[in-house]
Amino acid sequence: MFEDKIGPYSFEVGMYRPPSEGGSHSLLLRFTRNCPWNKCTFCGMYKHEKFSLRSVEEIKGDIASIAGLWREMQDIARTLGHESVVNRDVIYRIIETYPKSSTSDGFGMILNWLSSGAKTAFLQDANSLVMATDNLVEVLHYLRDTFPSIERVTSYARSKTLFRKTQEDLNRIRKAGLDRLHVGLESGDSEVLKRIKKGVTPEEHIEGGRKAMKAGFQLSEYWMPGLGGTERWENHARHTARALNSINPHYIRTRPFSPWPGTPIYDECARGELTLLSPEEQLEELKLMVQELEVTSKLCFDHANNYWTDTDGQLLFSHSYEGYQMPEKKEKVLEIIEKGIIANKGRSEYGYAEIVL
Ligand code: SF4
């Protein structure tokens, strides 16, 4: 838990957010702590942390604290003759008044959010939709009323939770002001999902994704090239494409698998139970998945693990958060993959994954 205290203002900030939320300098608001599932074998994010819900009062308290800090900065700005613009003079004055703010990550996050127009917010941690619908709706209304400048609110969500929520609950949450969901699909292959203990079947992934789309969320589905190893790469690629075709989310985000030390899957790799794909094999798997895609989604490579390079050593794919529009850019993506396969032929190193070997 990371509690920030700046004078009378206190609020919690969690550790993680998707890359695209960093790019938009989102306000990070902690609605729950850690992950309520915490069993995926490839994931080390919350392994040593215990999940807990936060009460409506606690979350509203954080939002009110951040609003209070912003108001004080605007008051200082007016006193200094800068109308209500939060500039360097205002920041210095806050640091003079509350010296701890100079070392506060939360203060830096708030300043970045303000300087980019205070337009987006991300709800932490791993699955805000696990909150009771009434509570989530209440804090979303409070957030929207407190910060009318916010244009987009985003959260992580588990497929299983989307599957379990009623359509009406999802419609209410969407209407209350949650716009975008990031979901870890990882794979559409039932064997891979079982092995990684994702706790969800391909059918539940599809049903949960479809319900989110029907409710009007902008949906990002993440998948992991390489997660099936050499043993299941073909099924992993084909069945993932099949699941994504059935959902047709707004975004498909590619986050290649790399085993983190300390996770169960890392030990499986070390014991030889899962054989990592080489860069060339990963690209062959990606090629098959893209060939099988029939979607109107944007295909994105906006995670650092998309490390493949071309013959000049340049990154193969754009890391843009908006990615490549399907199906218009499908041929272009396949051409890029072909170039990558040639550039990576025979390479034996495993990018981020080589730490295992
Ligand atoms: S649901 Fe997400 S955060 Fe939780 S263990 Fe799985 S991958 Fe990690």
Side-chain angles (χ1 to χ4, degrees):
M1 180 169 85
F2 304 91
E3 180 156 16
D4 244 305
K5 197 150 174 45
I6 301 169
Y9 311 110
S10 69
F11 50 91
E12 284 190 25
V13 184
M15 180 84 96
Y16 298 103
R17 46 108 185 108
S20 51
E21 299 300 314
S24 56
H25 300 301
S26 291
L27 176 65
L28 304 180
L29 295 165
R30 206 171 196 200
F31 274 34
T32 63
R33 298 186 187 104
N34 310 310
C35 174
W37 174 247
N38 216 9
K39 291 182 188 160
C40 302
T41 62
F42 62 87
C43 174
M45 295 206 294
Y46 304 102
K47 272 287 168 280
H48 305 291
E49 308 295 337
K50 206 164 164 278
F51 173 77
S52 61
L53 289 166
R54 299 189 72 212
S55 68
V56 167
E57 290 66 36
E58 281 177 304
I59 302 168
K60 281 185 175 177
D62 284 7
I63 296 169
S65 261
I66 293 166
L69 178 59
W70 188 6
R71 254 194 320 275
E72 181 167 342
M73 286 195 272
Q74 287 174 316
D75 289 345
I76 293 171
R78 273 189 289 274
T79 309
L80 296 175
H82 303 310
E83 300 189 350
S84 55
V85 178
V86 176
N87 59 14
R88 196 192 311 191
D89 294 343
V90 177
I91 296 166
Y92 284 156
R93 180 65 67 85
I94 286 283
I95 292 172
E96 266 168 35
T97 314
Y98 309 121
K100 275 194 180 163
S101 58
S102 65
T103 53
S104 153
D105 288 343
F107 187 51
M109 178 271 291
I110 290 168
L111 291 179
N112 281 332
W113 173 63
L114 292 176
S115 67
S116 62
K119 288 187 181 146
T120 60
F122 179 70
L123 314 183
Q124 299 175 300
D125 283 339
N127 182 16
S128 316
L129 271 80
V130 80
M131 288 173 67
T133 298
D134 285 347
N135 291 351
L136 182 52
V137 165
E138 185 176 339
V139 281
L140 282 167
H141 280 308
Y142 184 76
L143 170 64
R144 289 293 194 163
D145 290 345
T146 308
F147 298 123
S149 63
I150 288 181
E151 296 169 0
R152 188 189 79 206
V153 180
T154 305
S155 174
Y156 282 132
R158 280 192 76 219
S159 281
K160 188 73 161 214
T161 309
L162 295 173
F163 171 76
R164 283 186 174 143
K165 287 260 185 206
T166 65
Q167 187 66 54
E168 192 185 341
D169 278 347
L170 294 179
N171 296 348
R172 282 181 63 209
I173 294 165
R174 170 72 193 92
K175 214 167 150 217
L178 181 56
D179 304 287
R180 181 178 280 197
L181 297 176
H182 290 279
V183 174
L185 178 105
E186 328 304 0
S187 178
D189 182 62
S190 55
E191 283 304 309
V192 172
L193 287 172
K194 253 185 248 158
R195 210 186 54 218
I196 63 170
K197 296 193 169 55
K198 193 69 197 169
V200 64
T201 64
E203 292 70 29
E204 288 167 343
H205 262 325
I206 292 168
E207 176 71 13
R210 282 184 166 170
K211 281 164 76 177
M213 292 292 286
K214 193 169 172 198
F217 289 104
Q218 294 166 29
L219 184 63
S220 285
E221 295 273 357
Y222 287 74
W223 84 287
M224 278 195 168
L227 196 55
T230 56
E231 296 82 359
R232 260 201 105 70
W233 74 271
E234 202 170 334
N235 284 313
H236 176 46
R238 283 191 200 285
H239 295 158
T240 299
R242 186 188 71 93
L244 290 167
N245 289 345
S246 300
I247 301 169
N248 195 19
H250 298 86
Y251 295 91
I252 296 169
R253 299 190 191 270
T254 301
R255 181 179 50 179
F257 167 59
S258 67
W260 284 20
T263 57
I265 208 166
Y266 184 98
D267 297 335
E268 281 175 41
C269 293
R271 289 195 299 267
E273 293 161 16
L274 180 74
T275 314
L276 296 172
L277 302 182
S278 69
E280 182 188 348
E281 288 167 337
Q282 283 183 337
L283 288 164
E284 288 288 356
E285 182 187 71
L286 181 62
K287 180 169 121 183
L288 177 60
M289 204 288 271
V290 174
Q291 280 170 339
E292 302 269 313
L293 272 186
E294 287 172 18
V295 292
T296 56
S297 320
K298 290 175 177 171
L299 180 59
C300 306
F301 300 88
D302 58 340
H303 190 280
N305 279 16
N306 292 282
Y307 64 90
W308 305 288
T309 49
D310 61 18
T311 41
D312 299 324
Q314 301 297 314
L315 282 175
L316 207 52
F317 296 105
S318 157
H319 280 204
S320 153
Y321 302 123
E322 292 301 310
Y324 300 86
Q325 179 68 58
M326 298 285 115
E328 292 85 346
K329 292 280 167 61
K330 181 168 171 170
E331 285 312 311
K332 182 179 166 60
V333 171
L334 286 170
E335 270 172 37
I336 295 172
I337 294 172
E338 282 301 344
K339 276 190 203 151
I341 289 171
I342 293 166
N344 287 276
K345 216 161 222 19
R347 280 173 69 174
S348 57
E349 75 273 29
Y350 288 79
Y352 288 96
E354 69 189 326
I355 48 174
V356 167
L357 300 174

